Amino acid sequence: PPFWLGLMLIILFSVTLGMFPVSGYGETLEEKIAHLVLPSVTIALSLSTVLTRSLRAAMVEGLRSDVATAARARGMPERVVFWRHVVPNSMVPTINLLAINIGWLIGGTVVIESVFAIPGIGQLLVRAIFSRDYMVVQGVAMMLACATVLINLIADIVTVAADPRVKL
């Protein structure tokens, strides 16, 4: 889970190696960037495993597809088959999976902000829940829901652009 991965990264890179700060947000731009490295890596690593497995499975299937076989039969080099036929067809399911996981990513960001003590929308939501400020909870939930819907719309538009067979 992301909170465990974040704690392990803190122990390794902050406590043991002293490369990055443990928590907080920083004052200057350089400090803010240094404070956001570990949370960013935590979020990216926790989502990348699912996306990588999906992309690999789609690429293996694409390499075995009839389109790739026909391209090879026409004498195209393997490099051209891979980049022109396999990669574009493999990106479509990966883009859709990323769009589906955006809600999970937003929820994970709330947890990551708590682990790394970063002041953000997640901390605002947690504080509003504990202080029973229902209007703030509703506002934040509505904003996160709208962001999720907007990102899914963008992913659908990118899917249409990547695969002309798909229509909106």
Side-chain angles (χ1 to χ4, degrees), residues 62-136:
L63 286 170
R64 295 180 187 157
S65 70
D66 293 338
V67 173
T69 305
R72 285 187 198 102
R74 287 192 309 261
M76 287 188 178
E78 192 67 27
R79 181 181 87 253
V80 173
V81 171
F82 182 76
W83 287 107
R84 191 172 295 162
H85 297 287
V86 175
V87 170
N89 290 331
S90 300
M91 291 304 292
V92 173
T94 305
I95 291 169
N96 290 329
L97 182 64
L98 177 63
I100 290 168
N101 283 318
I102 290 298
W104 176 85
L105 186 66
I106 290 172
T109 304
V110 171
V111 173
I112 296 302
E113 285 181 7
S114 297
V115 169
F116 288 96
I118 298 172
I121 197 86
Q123 287 286 352
L124 176 65
L125 181 63
V126 169
R127 274 190 246 119
I129 289 171
F130 285 133
S131 65
R132 297 176 192 260
D133 191 354
Y134 299 118
M135 297 303 281
V136 173

Side-chain angles (χ1 to χ4, degrees), residues 6-30:
L7 291 173
M8 293 301 112
L9 290 175
I10 288 172
I11 290 170
L12 178 64
F13 290 107
S14 296
V15 176
T16 305
L17 299 177
M19 292 173 62
F20 297 106
V22 175
S23 65
Y25 192 57
E27 298 293 325
T28 65
L29 180 63
E30 294 83 21

Side-chain angles (χ1 to χ4, degrees), residues 21-50:
V22 175
S23 65
Y25 192 57
E27 298 293 325
T28 65
L29 180 63
E30 294 83 21
E31 288 178 358
K32 289 180 181 184
I33 291 172
H35 279 82
L36 291 178
V37 168
L38 287 180
S40 301
V41 168
T42 303
I43 292 170
L45 283 176
S46 60
L47 186 60
S48 67
T49 56
V50 174

Side-chain angles (χ1 to χ4, degrees), residues 132-144:
R132 297 176 192 260
D133 191 354
Y134 299 118
M135 297 303 281
V136 173
V137 172
Q138 287 176 343
V140 170
M142 179 63 84
M143 189 181 78
L144 294 177

